C-alpha cells in the first residue's frame, strides 16, 4: 500500500503553529541554558517511578523495571513501541502496526499484565502524556522519538493513589534526556530476508550546556513499507478450524451467493447458488449450487488482500530545555510535535442485501430469479456478494500530535522543601480518508426496477417513472466490462476527523516533615487539575440512522455518527515516608510509606484511594517489600460518548436447534429467541453477526485493589549482581467493557433481564439483524502471578565487559466473572477473543559483550504455549486446542571506528525466522494468528550508522 510523502512545508508550519499556540517555548530554551539541579541534594536524592518522595534509595517498595539507554541503543529498533511491547510483563491484545483489521494508524499501545491498554498509564518525565487515541483510549508510544528517550521505567504495580486514574496494571514512565553537548546523527535501513518491509530513518539531536541550564533540540524521521499477507505462507490463505483444519474464506464471494425460495431450492437441490465461472448471470441456468465447505468450497480467500504490517511514515521534532533564574527558581519546558501517516488495506467490500437493506427488485432486467432478494424486512431471500470490481477497502490516516509542558521549580528558601508548578497542553488531530464503498441510495436505484429504453438502453425505474442519471447494475456479474461505467456512478469514499485535547496544571511540594530516630519523615503533596475534550466527526454520508443505527448512505459497516464530550477532574494527593527503624538488629532499615488521593470527576463524582507500602532490610543485601493499593479507572471519553458504530462479533446462538420443549423448560428462551422457529431446525447462518458498539453516559468508575509482595537480593559477595522476585495480585470490580454478545445472550437466557434480552434484534425468520454492544459495568476480574528478574555485570581486562539479564512474568490466574450462573472465564494460559493472549510464562533473556570498540547483544524472547478454548465455536463443549510456545532471537553487532567515532551497527531480528503459530481465522481477526503477540515479519536485517560531533 502506498501512502503520500510527508509534505515538509505543511509539517513545519503545523509544528510552528502548535508551538505558538501552546506557550512560550523560547523562555526556557535559550542557548545559554544547561541542565539544572533537581532540588536539594540532587546528587543523592532522586524520584523513582512509583513514588513522589525524593530519596537516596534506588530499590524501593515499588517493583520497577528499567530499560536503559544502552539497551535502547543496542536494540536497533526504530520505534519505542517495537521495544516496549517485547517486555514479558506485556500481554493481552494491544495495538501495533501488524494489526490491519481494527488498526492501521501506525500506533503501538502498552498493555501491562494483559489488563487492557486503558488500564496502563503512560507518563513522560512523571507527567501524563496527553494525546489519547480514538477507539483505543490509549497512548501511541510510537509518537515518542527514540533519540529523545534516556530510559524507560516500568512500574509493575497498581498506583492509583500516586498517579490517579488508569494506573491499574501499572505505569510506563519515559524519561527524556536532560543534558547533552554537541550533535548526534543516526541513519538506519532495514528489510526482511524476503526483501519487503523496507524501513529507512534518520535522527538528529543537538545539545548545549552551560553552568545555568541546558538545551536539547532534535528531530526524527522514519518510513516503514507495508507487507502484504499474501507474501507469507502462514497468512496467504484464510485457515479455519471447524472440526478439522481447512483453507476457506468468506461466504461473501465475487460470483455472489443467492439464497433460493422454496420452489427453486427444490429444483436445484440446495438452499443457495452461485454464478458459474464465466457465465453472464442473466439466466437461471448460469447458476449452480453453492459449495460451502470441502476442498472445492466456493468461499472467497480474502487474506492476500490484507496486510501483516501497515505502512507508516512519521516525523517528529522536540525541544527540552531548562534555565536557572537564581538559586531557587528554574524554568523548564518540554515540547514534542509528531506527524504520522499510515493506513490499512482490506479485501473488497462484502455486500449483504438483507443487512445493508438493499432490495434487488424482481423486475430488474438483470434479475433472473423472478422474485425480490434482500431488504431489511427479512421477508425476501438473502443475497450476498463480494464487490471486487470496485477495488480494495483502504484508508489513509494522518495524525498530528503535540505536547508541551512548561513550568517553574526549585527550592523553597533555605529549607529542605522544593516545589514544582507545571502547565501542560496535549493535542491529537487525526484525519482519515477511506475508499472502497458504494452510495446506498444509488445502489438501491441501480438494482431496483429497470427496463430497456429506446434502442435497448438499460434504464433505471419503470417506463412510467424512469430515474435520471442512473444506470442499472448487474449485481450478479460485476466483472462484466460493461458494468464499469455503472459502478463508477455509485462508488464512494468518506472522511472522518478526530480531535483530542488535554489541559493540565499541577503544583507539587515535597520535603522533610519532622525528625524520627531512624531519619527524616518526608512528605510529598500536591494538587492536579485536568480537562479532557474530544470530538469525532464523520461525513454526512456515513451518519447512522435511528432506531437501529444500521443504515446510512453507504454500506452498513461504514455507518457511524458524530460524538463529542469532555470532563474535568480536580485531585489532591499526599504521600508520607516514615522511617521506623535503622541499623537495628534484623532491621538495617524499616520504612513505611502511606499515600492517598482524592479525585473529583465532573462525570461520575468523587473517588478516594489509598496506598500502603512497607520496606524492610533485615540485612544490607536483602530488601523485603510489600504494597497494597486501591486502584480505579474513570470512564474514558470513548466509554461515555461513543456514537453507535457497526462491528462483526462472533456469536454462538443459544437458540440453535430450539424446540418447544426447551422453551417449556426455560421460559427465558422465549425472550432470547424472538421469531426463532421451535421445530429444532434453526441455525444462525453465519457465526459473524452485525454488532453495534456504543458509549454509555451512565457508567461508573472501575475500582479494585492491587497487592505486591517481593524481595530484592543484591549479594555483596558477587558484585554487579541482583535478583528480585515479586508476587502480584489484582482485583478489578465493575469492569467497563463492551457488552459481549455471547455474555449478553447467556444473561438473557439465565435471568430474562429485559436490559440484556432487549439488546438482540432478530429478523422475521429468527436470524440476527443486530446485537447491540453498549459499554457497561459488568463483573470482576482477578489476576495474579510472579515477576522474576536477575542481572549480572562483570568487567574483565582480557575478556571485556559482560552483562547478563533475565526477566520473566508468570501469570497463574486470570479469571473473569460476569454474572451468577455463567461459568468464570479462566484466561491464564489461553488466547481469548476478548482479552487476548495471556500466556502463563513469558521471559526475555539477554547477553551483552563489549570489548574495546566492539559490542554484541543477543536477546531471546520466550512466549509460553497457550490453548484455544472452544476453538470452532460450535454448539456443545469442544476440547481445548494446544498452541506451541514461541521463541525469538535477536542479535546486534556494533563497531565504533577509532578516531572518527562513527558507530556501525548491524542486526537481525528473529534470527531463526520463527513463523507465528496458527490460531485460525475463526478465533482471530488478522492473518490466522495473534498479531499483537507474535512476530509476523520473519527474519529482518537492519544497519545503522551513528556519528557524534
Amino acid at each position: 500500500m502506498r501512502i503520500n510523502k510527508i509534505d515538509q512545508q505543511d509539517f513545519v508550519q503545523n509544528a510552528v503553529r502548535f508551538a505558538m499556540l501552546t506557550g512560550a517555548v523560547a523562555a526556557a530554551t535559550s542557548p545559554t541554558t544547561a541542565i539544572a539541579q533537581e532540588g536539594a541534594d540532587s546528587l543523592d536524592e532522586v524520584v523513582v517511578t512509583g513514588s513522589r518522595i525524593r530519596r537516596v534509595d534506588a530499590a524501593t517498595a515499588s517493583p520497577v523495571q528499567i530499560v536503559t539507554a544502552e539497551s535502547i541503543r543496542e536494540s536497533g529498533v526504530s520505534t519505542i513501541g517495537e521495544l516496549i511491547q517485547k517486555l514479558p510483563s506485556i500481554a493481552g491484545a494491544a495495538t501495533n502496526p501488524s494489526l490491519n483489521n481494527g488498526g492501521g494508524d501506525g500506533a503501538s499501545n502498552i498493555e501491562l499484565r494483559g489488563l487492557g491498554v486503558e488500564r496502563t498509564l503512560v507518563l513522560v518525565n512523571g507527567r501524563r502524556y496527553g494525546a489519547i487515541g480514538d477507539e483505543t483510549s490509549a497512548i501511541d508510544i510510537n509518537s515518542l522519538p527514540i533519540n529523545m528517550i534516556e530510559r524507560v521505567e516500568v512500574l509493575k504495580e497498581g498506583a492509583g493513589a500516586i498517579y490517579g486514574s488508569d494506573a491499574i496494571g501499572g505505569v510506563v514512565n519515559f524519561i527524556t534526556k536532560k543534558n547533552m553537548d554537541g550533535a548526534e546523527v543516526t541513519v538506519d535501513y532495514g528489510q526482511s530476508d524476503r526483501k519487503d518491509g523496507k524501513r529507512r530513518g534518520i535522527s538528529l539531536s543537538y545539545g548545549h550546556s552551560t553552568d545555568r541550564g541546558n538545551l536539547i533540540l532534535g528531530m526524527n524521521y522514519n518510513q516503514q513499507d507495508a507487507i502484504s499477507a499474501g507474501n507469507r505462507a502462514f497468512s496467504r490463505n484464510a485457515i479455519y478450524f471447524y472440526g478439522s483444519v481447512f483453507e476457506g474464506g468468506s461466504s461473501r464471494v465475487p460470483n455472489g451467493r443467492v439464497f433460493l425460495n422454496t420452489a427453486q431450492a427444490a429444483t436445484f437441490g440446495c438452499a443457495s447458488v452461485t454464478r458459474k465461472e464465466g457465465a453472464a448471470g442473466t439466466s437461471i441456468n448460469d447458476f449452480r449450487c453453492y459449495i460451502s465447505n470441502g476442498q472445492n468450497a466456493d468461499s472467497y480467500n480474502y487474506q492476500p488482500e490484507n496486510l501483516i504490517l501497515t505502512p507508516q511514515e512519521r516525523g517528529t521534532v522536540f525541544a527540552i530545555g531548562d534555565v536557572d533564574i537564581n538559586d531557587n527558581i528554574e524554568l523548564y519546558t518540554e515540547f514534542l510535535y509528531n506527524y504520522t501517516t499510515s493506513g490499512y488495506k482490506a479485501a473488497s467490500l462484502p455486500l449483504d442485501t438483507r443487512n445493508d437493506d438493499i432490495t434487488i427488485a424482481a423486475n430488474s432486467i438483470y434479475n433472473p430469479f423472478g422474485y425480490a432478494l434482500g431488504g431489511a424486512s427479512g421477508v425476501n431471500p438473502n443475497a450476498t456478494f463480494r464487490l471486487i470490481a470496485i477495488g480494495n477497502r483502504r484508508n489513509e490516516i494522518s495524525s498530528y500530535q503535540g505536547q508541551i509542558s512548561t513550568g517553574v521549580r526549585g527550592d523553597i528558601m533555605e529549607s529542605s522543601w522544593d516545589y514544582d508548578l507545571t502547565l501542560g497542553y496535549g493535542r491529537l488531530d487525526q484525519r482519515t480518508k477511506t475508499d472502497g464503498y458504494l452510495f446506498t441510495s444509488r445502489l438501491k436505484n441501480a438494482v431496483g426496477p429497470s427496463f430497456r429504453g429506446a434502442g435497448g438502453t438499460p434504464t433505471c425505474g419503470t417506463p412510467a417513472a424512469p430515474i435520471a442519471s442512473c444506470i442499472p447494475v448487474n449485481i450478479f456479474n460485476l466483472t462484466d466490462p460493461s458494468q464499469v461505467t455503472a459502478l463508477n456512478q455509485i462508488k464512494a469514499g468518506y472522511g472522518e476527523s478526530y480531535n483530542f485535547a488535554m489541559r493540565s496544571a499541577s503544583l507539587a511540594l515535597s520535603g522533610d516533615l519532622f525528625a524520627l530516630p531512624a531519619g527524616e519523615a518526608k512528605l510529598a503533596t500536591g494538587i492536579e487539575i485536568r480537562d479532557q475534550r474530544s470530538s469525532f466527526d464523520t461525513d454526512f454520508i456515513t451518519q447512522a440512522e435511528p432506531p437501529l443505527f444500521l443504515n446510512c448512505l453507504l454500506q452498513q459497516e461504514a455507518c457511524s455518527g458524530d460524538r463529542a464530550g469532555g470532563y474535568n477532574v480536580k485531585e489532591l494527593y499526599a504521600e508520607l515516608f516514615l522511617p521506623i527503624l535503622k541499623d537495628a538488629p534484623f532491621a538495617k532499615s524499616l520504612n513505611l510509606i502511606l499515600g492517598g488521593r482524592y479525585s473529583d470527576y465532573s462525570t461520575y463524582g468523587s473517588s478516594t484511594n489509598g496506598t500502603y507500602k512497607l520496606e524492610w532490610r533485615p540485612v544490607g543485601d536483602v530488601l523485603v517489600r510489600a504494597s497494597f493499593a486501591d486502584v480505579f479507572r474513570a470512564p474514558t471519553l470513548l466509554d461515555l460518548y461513543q456514537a453507535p458504530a457497526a462491528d462483526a462479533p462472533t456469536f454462538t446462538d443459544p437458540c440453535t436447534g430450539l424446540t418447544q420443549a426447551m422453551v417449556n423448560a426455560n421460559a427465558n428462551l422465549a425472550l432470547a429467541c424472538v421469531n426463532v422457529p421451535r421445530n429444532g431446525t434453526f441455525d444462525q447462518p453465519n457465526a459473524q453477526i452485525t454488532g453495534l458498539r456504543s458509549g454509555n453516559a451512565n457508567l461508573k468508575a472501575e475500582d479494585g485493589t492491587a497487592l505486591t509482595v517481593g524481595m530484592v537480593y543484591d549479594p555483596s559477595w558477587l558484585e554487579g549482581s541482583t535478583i528480585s522476585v515479586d508476587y502480584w495480585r489484582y482485583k478489578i470490580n465493575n469492569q467497563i467493557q463492551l457488552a459481549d454478545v455471547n455474555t449478553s445472550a447467556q444473561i438473557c437466557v439465565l435471568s430474562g433481564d429485559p436490559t440484556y434480552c432487549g439488546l438482540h434484534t432478530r429478523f422475521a425468520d429468527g436470524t440476527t439483524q443486530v446485537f447491540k454492544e453498549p459499554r457497561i459495568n459488568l463483573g470482576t476480574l482477578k489476576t495474579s502471578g510472579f515477576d522474576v528478574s536477575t542481572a549480572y555485570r562483570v568487567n574483565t581486562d582480557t575478556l571485556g565487559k559482560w552483562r547478563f539479564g533475565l526477566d520473566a512474568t508468570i501469570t497463574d490466574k486470570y479469571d473473569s466473572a460476569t454474572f451468577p450462573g455463567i461459568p468464570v472465564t479462566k484466561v491464564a494460559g489461553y488466547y481469548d477473543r476478548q482479552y487476548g493472549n495471556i500466556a502463563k510464562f513469558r521471559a526475555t533473556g539477554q547477553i551483552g559483550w563489549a570489548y574495546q570498540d566492539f559490542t554484541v547483544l543477543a536477546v531471546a524472547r520466550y512466549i509460553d504455549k497457550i490453548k484455544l478454548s472452544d476453538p470452532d465455536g460450535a454448539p456443545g463443549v469442544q476440547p481445548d486446542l494446544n498452541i506451541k510456545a514461541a521463541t525469538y532471537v535477536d542479535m546486534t553487532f556494533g563497531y565504533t571506528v577509532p578516531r572518527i567515532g562513527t558507530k556501525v551497527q548491524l542486526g537481525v531480528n528473529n534470527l531463526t525466522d520463527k513463523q507465528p503459530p496458527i490460531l485460525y481465522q475463526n478465533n482471530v481477526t488478522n492473518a490466522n494468528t495473534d498479531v499483537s503477540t507474535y512476530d509476523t515479519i520473519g527474519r529482518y536485517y537492519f544497519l545503522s550508522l551513528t556519528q557524534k560531533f
Side-chain angles (χ1 to χ4, degrees), residues 720-733:
S721 65
T722 184
I723 183 171
S724 65
V725 179
D726 291 282
Y727 168 78
W728 45 268
R729 187 184 71 199
Y730 296 83
K731 179 182 180 182
I732 304 171
N733 304 312

mmCIF file with all atom_site columns, all heavy atoms in Angstrom, residues 720-733:
data_model
loop_
_atom_site.group_PDB
_atom_site.id
_atom_site.type_symbol
_atom_site.label_atom_id
_atom_site.label_alt_id
_atom_site.label_comp_id
_atom_site.label_asym_id
_atom_site.label_entity_id
_atom_site.label_seq_id
_atom_site.pdbx_PDB_ins_code
_atom_site.Cartn_x
_atom_site.Cartn_y
_atom_site.Cartn_z
_atom_site.occupancy
_atom_site.B_iso_or_equiv
_atom_site.pdbx_formal_charge
_atom_site.auth_seq_id
_atom_site.auth_comp_id
_atom_site.auth_asym_id
_atom_site.auth_atom_id
_atom_site.pdbx_PDB_model_num
ATOM 1   N N   . GLY A 1 720 ? 27.904  -6.601  41.298 1.00 0.00 ? 720 GLY A N   1
ATOM 2   C CA  . GLY A 1 720 ? 27.302  -6.429  39.979 1.00 0.00 ? 720 GLY A CA  1
ATOM 3   C C   . GLY A 1 720 ? 26.109  -7.312  39.715 1.00 0.00 ? 720 GLY A C   1
ATOM 4   O O   . GLY A 1 720 ? 25.567  -7.310  38.608 1.00 0.00 ? 720 GLY A O   1
ATOM 5   N N   . SER A 1 721 ? 25.682  -8.080  40.719 1.00 0.00 ? 721 SER A N   1
ATOM 6   C CA  . SER A 1 721 ? 24.559  -8.994  40.522 1.00 0.00 ? 721 SER A CA  1
ATOM 7   C C   . SER A 1 721 ? 23.369  -8.563  41.357 1.00 0.00 ? 721 SER A C   1
ATOM 8   O O   . SER A 1 721 ? 23.513  -7.927  42.403 1.00 0.00 ? 721 SER A O   1
ATOM 9   C CB  . SER A 1 721 ? 24.955  -10.428 40.884 1.00 0.00 ? 721 SER A CB  1
ATOM 10  O OG  . SER A 1 721 ? 25.248  -10.524 42.271 1.00 0.00 ? 721 SER A OG  1
ATOM 11  N N   . THR A 1 722 ? 22.188  -8.921  40.906 1.00 0.00 ? 722 THR A N   1
ATOM 12  C CA  . THR A 1 722 ? 20.956  -8.661  41.646 1.00 0.00 ? 722 THR A CA  1
ATOM 13  C C   . THR A 1 722 ? 19.893  -9.639  41.191 1.00 0.00 ? 722 THR A C   1
ATOM 14  O O   . THR A 1 722 ? 19.916  -10.120 40.046 1.00 0.00 ? 722 THR A O   1
ATOM 15  C CB  . THR A 1 722 ? 20.469  -7.212  41.432 1.00 0.00 ? 722 THR A CB  1
ATOM 16  O OG1 . THR A 1 722 ? 19.316  -6.975  42.241 1.00 0.00 ? 722 THR A OG1 1
ATOM 17  C CG2 . THR A 1 722 ? 20.100  -6.968  39.979 1.00 0.00 ? 722 THR A CG2 1
ATOM 18  N N   . ILE A 1 723 ? 18.993  -9.956  42.106 1.00 0.00 ? 723 ILE A N   1
ATOM 19  C CA  . ILE A 1 723 ? 17.856  -10.811 41.774 1.00 0.00 ? 723 ILE A CA  1
ATOM 20  C C   . ILE A 1 723 ? 16.648  -10.322 42.547 1.00 0.00 ? 723 ILE A C   1
ATOM 21  O O   . ILE A 1 723 ? 16.775  -9.905  43.702 1.00 0.00 ? 723 ILE A O   1
ATOM 22  C CB  . ILE A 1 723 ? 18.139  -12.298 42.082 1.00 0.00 ? 723 ILE A CB  1
ATOM 23  C CG1 . ILE A 1 723 ? 16.941  -13.169 41.640 1.00 0.00 ? 723 ILE A CG1 1
ATOM 24  C CG2 . ILE A 1 723 ? 18.462  -12.513 43.559 1.00 0.00 ? 723 ILE A CG2 1
ATOM 25  C CD1 . ILE A 1 723 ? 17.226  -14.655 41.705 1.00 0.00 ? 723 ILE A CD1 1
ATOM 26  N N   . SER A 1 724 ? 15.499  -10.334 41.897 1.00 0.00 ? 724 SER A N   1
ATOM 27  C CA  . SER A 1 724 ? 14.266  -9.917  42.564 1.00 0.00 ? 724 SER A CA  1
ATOM 28  C C   . SER A 1 724 ? 13.142  -10.878 42.200 1.00 0.00 ? 724 SER A C   1
ATOM 29  O O   . SER A 1 724 ? 13.088  -11.404 41.088 1.00 0.00 ? 724 SER A O   1
ATOM 30  C CB  . SER A 1 724 ? 13.874  -8.489  42.182 1.00 0.00 ? 724 SER A CB  1
ATOM 31  O OG  . SER A 1 724 ? 13.542  -8.404  40.810 1.00 0.00 ? 724 SER A OG  1
ATOM 32  N N   . VAL A 1 725 ? 12.264  -11.110 43.160 1.00 0.00 ? 725 VAL A N   1
ATOM 33  C CA  . VAL A 1 725 ? 11.082  -11.939 42.966 1.00 0.00 ? 725 VAL A CA  1
ATOM 34  C C   . VAL A 1 725 ? 9.904   -11.196 43.592 1.00 0.00 ? 725 VAL A C   1
ATOM 35  O O   . VAL A 1 725 ? 9.982   -10.760 44.745 1.00 0.00 ? 725 VAL A O   1
ATOM 36  C CB  . VAL A 1 725 ? 11.237  -13.323 43.623 1.00 0.00 ? 725 VAL A CB  1
ATOM 37  C CG1 . VAL A 1 725 ? 9.972   -14.147 43.422 1.00 0.00 ? 725 VAL A CG1 1
ATOM 38  C CG2 . VAL A 1 725 ? 12.451  -14.055 43.070 1.00 0.00 ? 725 VAL A CG2 1
ATOM 39  N N   . ASP A 1 726 ? 8.827   -11.034 42.823 1.00 0.00 ? 726 ASP A N   1
ATOM 40  C CA  . ASP A 1 726 ? 7.651   -10.327 43.322 1.00 0.00 ? 726 ASP A CA  1
ATOM 41  C C   . ASP A 1 726 ? 6.393   -11.107 42.983 1.00 0.00 ? 726 ASP A C   1
ATOM 42  O O   . ASP A 1 726 ? 6.217   -11.575 41.848 1.00 0.00 ? 726 ASP A O   1
ATOM 43  C CB  . ASP A 1 726 ? 7.550   -8.924  42.702 1.00 0.00 ? 726 ASP A CB  1
ATOM 44  C CG  . ASP A 1 726 ? 8.642   -7.992  43.182 1.00 0.00 ? 726 ASP A CG  1
ATOM 45  O OD1 . ASP A 1 726 ? 8.518   -7.484  44.309 1.00 0.00 ? 726 ASP A OD1 1
ATOM 46  O OD2 . ASP A 1 726 ? 9.611   -7.786  42.439 1.00 0.00 ? 726 ASP A OD2 1
ATOM 47  N N   . TYR A 1 727 ? 5.533   -11.229 43.977 1.00 0.00 ? 727 TYR A N   1
ATOM 48  C CA  . TYR A 1 727 ? 4.197   -11.779 43.769 1.00 0.00 ? 727 TYR A CA  1
ATOM 49  C C   . TYR A 1 727 ? 3.225   -10.616 43.628 1.00 0.00 ? 727 TYR A C   1
ATOM 50  O O   . TYR A 1 727 ? 3.294   -9.633  44.365 1.00 0.00 ? 727 TYR A O   1
ATOM 51  C CB  . TYR A 1 727 ? 3.780   -12.644 44.961 1.00 0.00 ? 727 TYR A CB  1
ATOM 52  C CG  . TYR A 1 727 ? 2.307   -13.013 44.958 1.00 0.00 ? 727 TYR A CG  1
ATOM 53  C CD1 . TYR A 1 727 ? 1.825   -14.015 44.130 1.00 0.00 ? 727 TYR A CD1 1
ATOM 54  C CD2 . TYR A 1 727 ? 1.398   -12.324 45.775 1.00 0.00 ? 727 TYR A CD2 1
ATOM 55  C CE1 . TYR A 1 727 ? 0.473   -14.355 44.118 1.00 0.00 ? 727 TYR A CE1 1
ATOM 56  C CE2 . TYR A 1 727 ? 0.049   -12.657 45.764 1.00 0.00 ? 727 TYR A CE2 1
ATOM 57  C CZ  . TYR A 1 727 ? -0.413  -13.669 44.941 1.00 0.00 ? 727 TYR A CZ  1
ATOM 58  O OH  . TYR A 1 727 ? -1.744  -13.980 44.920 1.00 0.00 ? 727 TYR A OH  1
ATOM 59  N N   . TRP A 1 728 ? 2.309   -10.707 42.653 1.00 0.00 ? 728 TRP A N   1
ATOM 60  C CA  . TRP A 1 728 ? 1.336   -9.637  42.442 1.00 0.00 ? 728 TRP A CA  1
ATOM 61  C C   . TRP A 1 728 ? -0.064  -10.226 42.299 1.00 0.00 ? 728 TRP A C   1
ATOM 62  O O   . TRP A 1 728 ? -0.255  -11.348 41.851 1.00 0.00 ? 728 TRP A O   1
ATOM 63  C CB  . TRP A 1 728 ? 1.689   -8.801  41.208 1.00 0.00 ? 728 TRP A CB  1
ATOM 64  C CG  . TRP A 1 728 ? 2.078   -9.594  39.991 1.00 0.00 ? 728 TRP A CG  1
ATOM 65  C CD1 . TRP A 1 728 ? 3.329   -9.974  39.615 1.00 0.00 ? 728 TRP A CD1 1
ATOM 66  C CD2 . TRP A 1 728 ? 1.196   -10.123 38.982 1.00 0.00 ? 728 TRP A CD2 1
ATOM 67  N NE1 . TRP A 1 728 ? 3.298   -10.699 38.445 1.00 0.00 ? 728 TRP A NE1 1
ATOM 68  C CE2 . TRP A 1 728 ? 2.006   -10.804 38.037 1.00 0.00 ? 728 TRP A CE2 1
ATOM 69  C CE3 . TRP A 1 728 ? -0.178  -10.082 38.793 1.00 0.00 ? 728 TRP A CE3 1
ATOM 70  C CZ2 . TRP A 1 728 ? 1.468   -11.429 36.913 1.00 0.00 ? 728 TRP A CZ2 1
ATOM 71  C CZ3 . TRP A 1 728 ? -0.723  -10.714 37.672 1.00 0.00 ? 728 TRP A CZ3 1
ATOM 72  C CH2 . TRP A 1 728 ? 0.099   -11.376 36.757 1.00 0.00 ? 728 TRP A CH2 1
ATOM 73  N N   . ARG A 1 729 ? -1.035  -9.412  42.730 1.00 0.00 ? 729 ARG A N   1
ATOM 74  C CA  . ARG A 1 729 ? -2.432  -9.836  42.664 1.00 0.00 ? 729 ARG A CA  1
ATOM 75  C C   . ARG A 1 729 ? -3.311  -8.605  42.454 1.00 0.00 ? 729 ARG A C   1
ATOM 76  O O   . ARG A 1 729 ? -3.160  -7.600  43.147 1.00 0.00 ? 729 ARG A O   1
ATOM 77  C CB  . ARG A 1 729 ? -2.836  -10.537 43.964 1.00 0.00 ? 729 ARG A CB  1
ATOM 78  C CG  . ARG A 1 729 ? -4.231  -11.158 43.933 1.00 0.00 ? 729 ARG A CG  1
ATOM 79  C CD  . ARG A 1 729 ? -4.579  -11.738 45.281 1.00 0.00 ? 729 ARG A CD  1
ATOM 80  N NE  . ARG A 1 729 ? -4.818  -10.678 46.268 1.00 0.00 ? 729 ARG A NE  1
ATOM 81  C CZ  . ARG A 1 729 ? -4.787  -10.877 47.589 1.00 0.00 ? 729 ARG A CZ  1
ATOM 82  N NH1 . ARG A 1 729 ? -4.476  -12.062 48.081 1.00 0.00 ? 729 ARG A NH1 1
ATOM 83  N NH2 . ARG A 1 729 ? -5.027  -9.873  48.409 1.00 0.00 ? 729 ARG A NH2 1
ATOM 84  N N   . TYR A 1 730 ? -4.205  -8.688  41.488 1.00 0.00 ? 730 TYR A N   1
ATOM 85  C CA  . TYR A 1 730 ? -5.112  -7.582  41.172 1.00 0.00 ? 730 TYR A CA  1
ATOM 86  C C   . TYR A 1 730 ? -6.556  -8.062  41.240 1.00 0.00 ? 730 TYR A C   1
ATOM 87  O O   . TYR A 1 730 ? -6.865  -9.206  40.875 1.00 0.00 ? 730 TYR A O   1
ATOM 88  C CB  . TYR A 1 730 ? -4.878  -7.051  39.748 1.00 0.00 ? 730 TYR A CB  1
ATOM 89  C CG  . TYR A 1 730 ? -3.532  -6.428  39.502 1.00 0.00 ? 730 TYR A CG  1
ATOM 90  C CD1 . TYR A 1 730 ? -2.428  -7.221  39.195 1.00 0.00 ? 730 TYR A CD1 1
ATOM 91  C CD2 . TYR A 1 730 ? -3.354  -5.051  39.547 1.00 0.00 ? 730 TYR A CD2 1
ATOM 92  C CE1 . TYR A 1 730 ? -1.190  -6.668  38.940 1.00 0.00 ? 730 TYR A CE1 1
ATOM 93  C CE2 . TYR A 1 730 ? -2.115  -4.483  39.298 1.00 0.00 ? 730 TYR A CE2 1
ATOM 94  C CZ  . TYR A 1 730 ? -1.039  -5.295  38.994 1.00 0.00 ? 730 TYR A CZ  1
ATOM 95  O OH  . TYR A 1 730 ? 0.191   -4.722  38.756 1.00 0.00 ? 730 TYR A OH  1
ATOM 96  N N   . LYS A 1 731 ? -7.415  -7.180  41.671 1.00 0.00 ? 731 LYS A N   1
ATOM 97  C CA  . LYS A 1 731 ? -8.857  -7.413  41.609 1.00 0.00 ? 731 LYS A CA  1
ATOM 98  C C   . LYS A 1 731 ? -9.506  -6.134  41.091 1.00 0.00 ? 731 LYS A C   1
ATOM 99  O O   . LYS A 1 731 ? -9.293  -5.051  41.637 1.00 0.00 ? 731 LYS A O   1
ATOM 100 C CB  . LYS A 1 731 ? -9.420  -7.768  42.985 1.00 0.00 ? 731 LYS A CB  1
ATOM 101 C CG  . LYS A 1 731 ? -10.932 -7.999  42.979 1.00 0.00 ? 731 LYS A CG  1
ATOM 102 C CD  . LYS A 1 731 ? -11.451 -8.304  44.374 1.00 0.00 ? 731 LYS A CD  1
ATOM 103 C CE  . LYS A 1 731 ? -12.964 -8.527  44.367 1.00 0.00 ? 731 LYS A CE  1
ATOM 104 N NZ  . LYS A 1 731 ? -13.484 -8.777  45.737 1.00 0.00 ? 731 LYS A NZ  1
ATOM 105 N N   . ILE A 1 732 ? -10.290 -6.259  40.029 1.00 0.00 ? 732 ILE A N   1
ATOM 106 C CA  . ILE A 1 732 ? -10.942 -5.106  39.406 1.00 0.00 ? 732 ILE A CA  1
ATOM 107 C C   . ILE A 1 732 ? -12.442 -5.350  39.402 1.00 0.00 ? 732 ILE A C   1
ATOM 108 O O   . ILE A 1 732 ? -12.927 -6.346  38.835 1.00 0.00 ? 732 ILE A O   1
ATOM 109 C CB  . ILE A 1 732 ? -10.442 -4.880  37.966 1.00 0.00 ? 732 ILE A CB  1
ATOM 110 C CG1 . ILE A 1 732 ? -8.919  -4.722  37.949 1.00 0.00 ? 732 ILE A CG1 1
ATOM 111 C CG2 . ILE A 1 732 ? -11.108 -3.654  37.350 1.00 0.00 ? 732 ILE A CG2 1
ATOM 112 C CD1 . ILE A 1 732 ? -8.336  -4.725  36.557 1.00 0.00 ? 732 ILE A CD1 1
ATOM 113 N N   . ASN A 1 733 ? -13.190 -4.445  40.024 1.00 0.00 ? 733 ASN A N   1
ATOM 114 C CA  . ASN A 1 733 ? -14.645 -4.534  40.088 1.00 0.00 ? 733 ASN A CA  1
ATOM 115 C C   . ASN A 1 733 ? -15.276 -3.584  39.079 1.00 0.00 ? 733 ASN A C   1
ATOM 116 O O   . ASN A 1 733 ? -14.673 -2.601  38.658 1.00 0.00 ? 733 ASN A O   1
ATOM 117 C CB  . ASN A 1 733 ? -15.135 -4.184  41.496 1.00 0.00 ? 733 ASN A CB  1
ATOM 118 C CG  . ASN A 1 733 ? -14.511 -5.051  42.558 1.00 0.00 ? 733 ASN A CG  1
ATOM 119 O OD1 . ASN A 1 733 ? -14.467 -6.267  42.433 1.00 0.00 ? 733 ASN A OD1 1
ATOM 120 N ND2 . ASN A 1 733 ? -14.004 -4.426  43.622 1.00 0.00 ? 733 ASN A ND2 1
#
